[in-house]
Amino acid sequence: MSKAEWENNEEIKIFREYLRIPSVHPNVDYTGCVEFIKRQAASLDLPVDVEYPVNDANPVVIVKWLGTQPELPSIILNSHMDVVPVFPEHWTHDPFSADLDDEGRIYARGTQDTKGIGTQYLGAIRALKAQGYQPKRSIYVTFVPDEELGGILGMQGFVKGQYFKALNAGFCLDEGCSNIDDSYFIFYAERTAWQIRFKVSGTTGHGSQLLPNTAAEKLHYVMTKLLEYRTSQMERIKGLSNKFSGEVTSVNLTILSGGVQNNVLPPLLEAVFDIRIAIDVDLVAFEQQIRDWCAEAGSGIEIEFERKDEFSPATKLDASNPFWTAFQNSLNEQNLKCTPIVCPGCTDSRFLRPLGVSALGFSPMKNMPILPHAHDEYTRADIYLHGIEVYTKIIPAIASV
Ligand SMILES: CSCC[C@H](NC=O)C(=O)O
Ligand SMILES: [Zn+2]
Ligand SMILES: [Zn+2]
């Protein structure tokens, strides 16, 4: 297709319209997204609900396609409306113009993470309805807020409410990630996210003195232990076939603060570590190890969990999971390869799996750079349109299980 053809393509127009809504953190205004999705539901002649599970600023929009056997566990097609901040000075295109270049690249925040799958779901439903298809299982296309901040005001609150329970969800497709080679990543599990603030108190005094029990010495001990553990995990990655997967525990120092003046020993130093714990790690033992390191460093160290997710079980990828079988068979019939991996980041699927909802993270992008949260995030028009075709085959396969 030519640039003009892509620009005149109705699905591409809808996608670019969604991308131009600046639902960007911090303080996202979801009004534009809600109105856009309502318009899309109307164009599909589908009913739509808007729920506010946590507060009025964080809507969950649900486009509903009732199945012929609504008593069966339903299918959720999930994506999030919010996108992470941008640094426009580092972008070659305006992050919210959805520019399309001569090669068909569409540049905008959210192209990969994760507005694309939201409108692709709707494009696939448009095609299926045009074919006269009617799903056996009810299908709910959910658009949630707050995923990028952890989903507390979005999916986490939504799954606790009566509205969600009434959906009787059995399976969910959620966001995945692009892959640089010719195989789709499939997220079947994710690590447990802990973000820990270490608040270290110590001796204060004159910066010229070598006093004992300073905050710096104790923080240095704890940081050294954590960063040594990080090194051990990096060693493990060397032996893995897929280095992107969340097979090992990641440890990253993300915030370091404290001190009042350059010649005063600080009474308090703080460090925040973002830790994503591998699915085969004993969480109780891991926490005890961290607390032991703090005890070894000395007194006056307080541990504050800014995020302490619970363990989320993996989705079964075997014959015991008919949704997985149907999904995999559909990809095989389309001669498409997939690579199941543990999601390196966190997604809203972590709130669904513990409830028995079989969730797969899947974004139909391959032979593409991995650009979530990156400058110049983009996808390609041809890949986007092919993704709609892929969903047009996958959705009936899973909805007829
Ligand atoms: C840890 S909860 C925040 C969720 C976020 N998800 C995608 O980027 C992530 O940091 O993985
Ligand atoms: Zn995302
Ligand atoms: Zn993200």
Side-chain angles (χ1 to χ4, degrees):
M1 288 171 80
S2 68
K3 179 176 179 180
E5 288 170 307
W6 280 319
E7 284 175 335
N8 292 320
N9 179 285
E10 289 307 314
E11 292 299 342
I12 296 291
K13 285 181 184 174
I14 292 167
F15 179 35
R16 295 174 76 191
E17 180 185 350
Y18 189 27
L19 290 169
R20 293 187 183 114
I21 301 169
S23 48
V24 55
H25 290 287
N27 308 315
V28 179
D29 176 358
Y30 291 98
T31 310
C33 289
V34 173
E35 294 313 311
F36 167 80
I37 297 160
K38 281 181 174 177
R39 288 197 302 275
Q40 297 310 311
S43 74
L44 291 166
D45 193 24
L46 290 177
V48 56
D49 289 336
V50 184
E51 292 288 309
Y52 297 87
V54 179
N55 62 37
D56 291 346
N58 286 274
V60 173
V61 189
I62 308 99
V63 180
K64 305 183 292 184
W65 195 5
L66 195 64
T68 57
Q69 295 180 250
E71 71 281 2
L72 292 174
S74 62
I75 306 293
I76 288 184
L77 305 176
N78 187 61
S79 64
H80 58 84
M81 300 177 282
D82 57 319
V83 298
V84 295
V86 293
F87 301 91
E89 66 276 12
H90 293 290
W91 284 61
T92 57
H93 296 261
D94 179 295
F96 295 98
S97 294
D99 289 348
L100 189 151
D101 71 9
D102 294 339
E103 287 72 45
R105 284 185 289 254
I106 302 169
Y107 286 89
R109 176 63 82 217
T111 42
Q112 292 197 15
D113 182 14
T114 189
K115 287 184 171 178
I117 60 172
T119 43
Q120 284 175 312
Y121 296 145
L122 300 178
I125 290 173
R126 197 176 348 270
L128 288 165
K129 284 174 78 72
Q131 295 168 11
Y133 171 77
Q134 175 66 39
K136 181 169 75 170
R137 294 172 183 268
S138 293
I139 294 172
Y140 300 105
V141 190
T142 54
F143 296 83
V144 297
D146 195 54
E147 190 278 338
E148 294 293 0
L149 299 186
I152 312 308
L153 304 178
M155 185 64 90
Q156 186 185 58
F158 182 52
V159 299
K160 291 176 180 172
Q162 282 311 308
Y163 184 97
F164 175 80
K165 289 179 176 54
L167 297 183
N168 184 30
F171 177 77
C172 174
L173 280 181
D174 191 13
E175 65 179 308
C177 182
S178 54
N179 189 6
I180 57 173
D181 69 26
D182 191 39
S183 176
Y184 291 127
F185 279 144
I186 307 295
F187 295 162
Y188 67 94
E190 47 190 86
R191 296 181 287 187
T192 306
W194 288 357
Q195 280 138 7
I196 304 175
R197 180 177 293 272
F198 296 87
K199 304 170 84 166
V200 185
S201 306
T203 307
T204 185
H206 199 286
S208 64
Q209 299 301 296
L210 292 176
L211 301 178
N213 194 38
T214 59
E217 291 166 286
K218 292 185 278 188
L219 180 57
H220 175 265
Y221 183 92
V222 174
M223 283 178 58
T224 300
K225 289 295 186 185
L226 285 164
L227 295 176
E228 284 173 349
Y229 184 80
R230 181 179 192 274
T231 302
S232 73
Q233 299 302 294
M234 291 178 75
E235 283 303 308
R236 284 187 58 201
I237 283 181
K238 288 177 183 173
L240 297 179
S241 57
N242 187 301
K243 309 212 182 307
F244 179 73
S245 175
E247 301 294 330
V248 302
T249 296
S250 62
V251 179
N252 281 304
L253 170 64
T254 52
I255 297 173
L256 196 55
S257 60
V260 292
Q261 189 170 304
N262 60 15
N263 62 355
V264 174
L265 291 177
L268 177 69
L269 292 174
E270 298 190 8
V272 176
F273 278 83
D274 183 348
I275 305 173
R276 313 294 174 102
I277 307 162
I279 59 177
D280 59 356
V281 171
D282 178 327
L283 296 181
V284 173
F286 188 74
E287 179 173 353
Q288 189 53 55
Q289 174 62 85
I290 291 172
R291 294 188 181 280
D292 289 348
W293 287 336
C294 291
E296 291 161 15
S299 61
I301 301 180
E302 182 188 341
I303 294 178
E304 186 178 280
F305 281 89
E306 297 191 343
R307 173 179 304 288
K308 191 178 187 182
D309 281 0
E310 300 294 325
F311 174 76
S312 180
T315 291
K316 291 191 182 308
L317 301 186
D318 56 35
S320 70
N321 182 356
F323 293 111
W324 164 247
T325 303
F327 178 89
Q328 191 181 37
N329 288 345
S330 175
L331 286 185
N332 291 340
E333 287 160 14
Q334 300 180 64
N335 295 315
L336 297 170
K337 292 181 286 186
C338 68
T339 306
I341 63 169
V342 175
C343 176
C346 291
T347 70
D348 283 335
S349 290
R350 71 186 187 284
F351 300 120
L352 295 166
R353 293 190 176 106
L355 302 176
V357 179
S358 176
L360 292 176
F362 171 62
S363 293
M365 291 179 286
K366 56 190 174 77
N367 301 313
M368 276 284 293
I370 299 172
L371 298 172
H373 303 203
H375 304 318
D376 270 353
E377 181 182 351
Y378 75 89
T379 189
R380 293 206 336 245
D382 57 327
I383 287 181
Y384 176 82
L385 294 173
H386 180 245
I388 291 176
E389 294 170 12
V390 174
Y391 280 124
T392 304
K393 295 189 174 64
I394 283 177
I395 289 170
I398 56 179
S400 57
V401 165

